[in-house]
Each structure stands twice: as C-alpha cells, then as structure tokens.
Amino acid sequence: MSLQAFRARRVITPEGIRPAAILVEGERIRAVVSPDQVPAESCTVHDFGEAAILPGLVDSHVHINDPGRAEWEGFETATRAAAAGGYTLLVDMPLNCLPATTTVAGLEAKRAAAQGKCRVDWAAWGGVVHDNRGDIEALAAAGVRGFKCFLVNPGIDSFTMVTEQQLRAALPHVARTGLPLLVHAELPGPIDRATDALANADWSCYASYLQSRPDEAELAAIRLMLSLCREFKFHLHIVHLSTSQALQELRAARSEGLAVSVETCPHYLHLSAETIANGATLRKCAPPIRSRENCESLWQGLGNGTIDLVVTDHSPCPMAMKQLDEGNFRTAWGGIASLSIALALMWTEASRRGFTLLDLARWMAAAPARLAGCDTRKGQIAAGYDADFVVFDTDREFTVTKDRLHYRHPVSPYLGETLRGVVKATYLRGGLVFAGGEFPGEPAGREYARP
Ligand SMILES: [Zn+2]
C-alpha cells in the first residue's frame, strides 16, 4: 500500500500543536511521528513548512437540499465548497430536500442523489416530524447519525414542526436508538406575540426582524427541552444557539448530569445586529443575529466549554429568494451559507481573542464528529483515523470574492471582507481534493458508514 508523509512545523493533534510528520498508509493515518522519523522506504513526502495541518473539519449542520431542491445547492456544489473550506465530512440536515429524510425511503433517495457527486464524505440526519414516530428506529437502523426536529415552523414545505405532545410521543423511540436529537430551539408563542406587536413595523429594518424573534423564544424552548431531556433521558443537542442568555441554564443542566450539547455558528460569532443595515437580508437567519454584547458572551461560552462546537448551518438558496431589491426581512429566505470560508471567519475572530488552532480543531472537527458518532475515524489527527487534513496558512489574509465561495449561488454577507487564514489544500482519506482553487480528480467522497 502506498505510503505518504505530511510534514509541517505545526500539526494539530489531540495532545497539542507540534512539529510532526503524519504517516499515511492508503486512506488511514498509520502514525504521527517527529519530522525526522519519515521512513526511508518509498514514501511520498509533502512538506508544508510553516503552514499548519489541522484535522479535516466536520460540519454537522449543512443543508445540501438534494434531492429535490438541487437548484438551491446540491451534493456536487456543497461538497466542492466544503473541500475548499477544509471540511472533509458533512452531515446533511433532513429538510429542504424532497423527499425530506423522515423515512428510510427518503434516506435511500438521498443516497441515490449523492452517488458519484461528492468531493468530501457525508452522512445524514433523520427528521422527527409530527407523524413519523414509527419511522425513527428504522431510520436509525438504516444509518442516520441522529435526528433533527423543529419546535417552530421551519418555513419550508414537507417538513413539519412538532408540538410538545407530538415530541413526547416520539421521544421514547429516539431514546431507544441512543442517537442524539438535534433541536431548533425557538417556540412559536413568544415569536407570534412579538410579531403581532409589529403589525405596522418597517420590515426593511433589521430591528423589526430581531424584535420578532426575541431571546425569550429560544429560552422557553431550551427550558422545555431540558425538562424533556431529564424525563426521557436522551442526548439533547441544541443547534445554532443564538441567545447568550441561555448559557447559564445550559451549564447548570450539564453539571446536573444531563446529556446536553450545544452548537453555535460563525455568523453569530462574527456579525452583530448593530452592524446590519436596513434591507441587508443576506444577514437574515433564524434564530437571528443579536447584539455585539451577546456575541461576546457566546465567545465566553465557547471559551468555558458551555458551547461545544461551531458549525456553519450552511443554508443557501437561489439569489432571488433573498429579495435583495426589496430588502424585506419578513419575507426573504433566512439562511447563511459559509462552508468555503468558515475556517477563516473563525480564525479571524478566534485568534484575536487568544484562542488557538487547538480550539478550532476541537470546535470544528473533534466535537462535531463526536456528535455525529463519527469520532472513531473522523475529527482527529491520530493513528487509525482517516487521513483527512486541511493545510492552513494562518498568516495570509484575503478578501472574500465570489470565486472563493464555490457553492451554487455565490451569495454571501461576507463579500468584500478581509479575513485571516487561507486553506492551501484539503486531503480526503489521503487524496488531494482541493488546492489552489482547483478540485483535482474525480469526486471521491462517500457516505460515512459505521466501522
Ligand atoms: Zn439549519
């Protein structure tokens, strides 16, 4: 089997950052050794000098929209953007595709759609909707990594929210699978009340949108989920936490011994409400981007471990749905796509707060791999793991331009921004999948399967 060595001054391993050579045999890491221990036998050596080698990133929150809405995104374009961003495994959300991944047939349709198109590996979450509790265990047996549900209307056909009553009926099934339940934690009550009070509001103002989705909607949903977690004993995962007001209760729940994990996204860590201009619907997402102060508290939550991971919630749409001419925050599509530049967004913000590449590797590779149950092969640079790497030039800056985005519709709130850190190359299971703006070779990505 072919032997390769990947050498750099900074290799990010679970034990720390050090000069090392990663020895790769076929698709797996054989060993991580000191730089001078590259064997003399025939071995291809890739020397990356001062650049850093991180584990291939894992994004456990991506909307690929395929099959059924591939004109919004699709496996080909999402995995291309992922490779450019240093990601080697995506876990696809069960909605925005048609059919939704709420039955085994839906999962099989997804597998068929992905065939031969992926530049990085992928896996699927299943959905929990109002009427599919009978499908939950079958989906688990068929290979989904866990489940996702919405406590509020997701705003897209073919995927319904669940009420507390419906959730109570589904939770024993979820608990039996042992897989995590990912929850969009906003409750409709506070949103409806706030929206009613905005009858005459100017919806081109970001403030109107922000007021319509108050912290209280997130807080009430998280409280409900924590009590259900206590009662039904399942692994609860809060997706895209936006309000920092929930951090204390989440921390307390964890000290109580509840199986709770939490994610947030680069847009909540980089943007803030104060800087969102009227009509700037590229910055619309749900829950909404909140104040600068809230953003800083989320960083503290990451720093003290209350927030476990950072994922993109990559959720693109055709340009027209962002309604850029009209700029109406009420009707524009909510969702921000950032797969190709998330690492730079995070490094730009994290490095100036004193965080290191070790933190990034934990938030963006190891922890999401663990959430998706892929952590025996993904998310770390260690012997036995898949040879998934991102080679990252930490010092170079670049300006975000359309040609760097690589997903289907090159729309982004970050265009024109200068960010720190450039992905020089991405390797998937030992093979180069991205370098210098190119995607060499045939699509080699496949579905992550249990070992
Ligand atoms: Zn999402």
Side-chain angles (χ1 to χ4, degrees), residues 44 48 57 82 88 141-142 167 226 265 270 282 292-293 333 352-353 410 440:
T44 313
F48 294 107
L57 306 181
T88 50
L167 197 50
L226 289 175
C265 309
H270 179 65
L282 290 177
R292 170 52 60 192
E293 192 190 345
W333 173 255
R352 64 186 186 82
R353 290 176 173 82

Side-chain angles (χ1 to χ4, degrees), residues 137 140 145-147 171-181 233-235 371:
E137 281 142 293
R145 316 308 303 174
F147 297 91
L171 281 173
H173 299 277
V174 172
R176 271 199 289 278
T177 68
L179 297 175
L181 178 66
K233 304 199 180 345
F234 61 96
H235 173 178
L371 174 68

Side-chain angles (χ1 to χ4, degrees), residues 61 63 93 95 148 150 240 313-315:
H61 194 151
H63 297 268
M93 282 296 170
L95 67 162
K148 165 85 177 283
F150 275 73
H240 49 48
D313 192 8
H314 182 82
S315 184

Side-chain angles (χ1 to χ4, degrees), residues 83-128:
Y87 287 92
T88 50
L89 176 65
L90 304 181
V91 194
D92 182 40
M93 282 296 170
L95 67 162
N96 301 16
C97 46
L98 290 168
T101 319
T102 50
T103 63
V104 172
L107 178 62
E108 293 302 338
K110 184 165 291 296
R111 286 172 170 154
Q115 202 61 40
K117 290 188 196 144
C118 298
R119 300 245 162 224
V120 303
D121 289 346
W122 69 280
W125 298 116
V128 170

Side-chain angles (χ1 to χ4, degrees), residues 54 57 84-87 266 269-270 299 312 338-353 357 360 364 390 392-400 404 414 417-424:
L54 288 93
L57 306 181
Y87 287 92
L269 297 165
H270 179 65
W299 275 104
T312 65
S338 65
L339 268 175
S340 36
I341 53 166
L343 181 57
L345 281 168
M346 284 301 294
W347 182 234
T348 302
E349 295 289 346
S351 58
R352 64 186 186 82
R353 290 176 173 82
L357 295 172
L360 288 195
M364 301 178 80
V390 46
F392 191 50
D393 181 339
T394 51
D395 297 325
R396 229 171 84 205
E397 294 192 334
F398 69 99
T399 301
V400 182
R404 287 180 177 269
Y414 309 114
E417 278 197 50
T418 299
L419 299 177
R420 183 167 176 224
V422 172
V423 173
K424 287 172 65 108

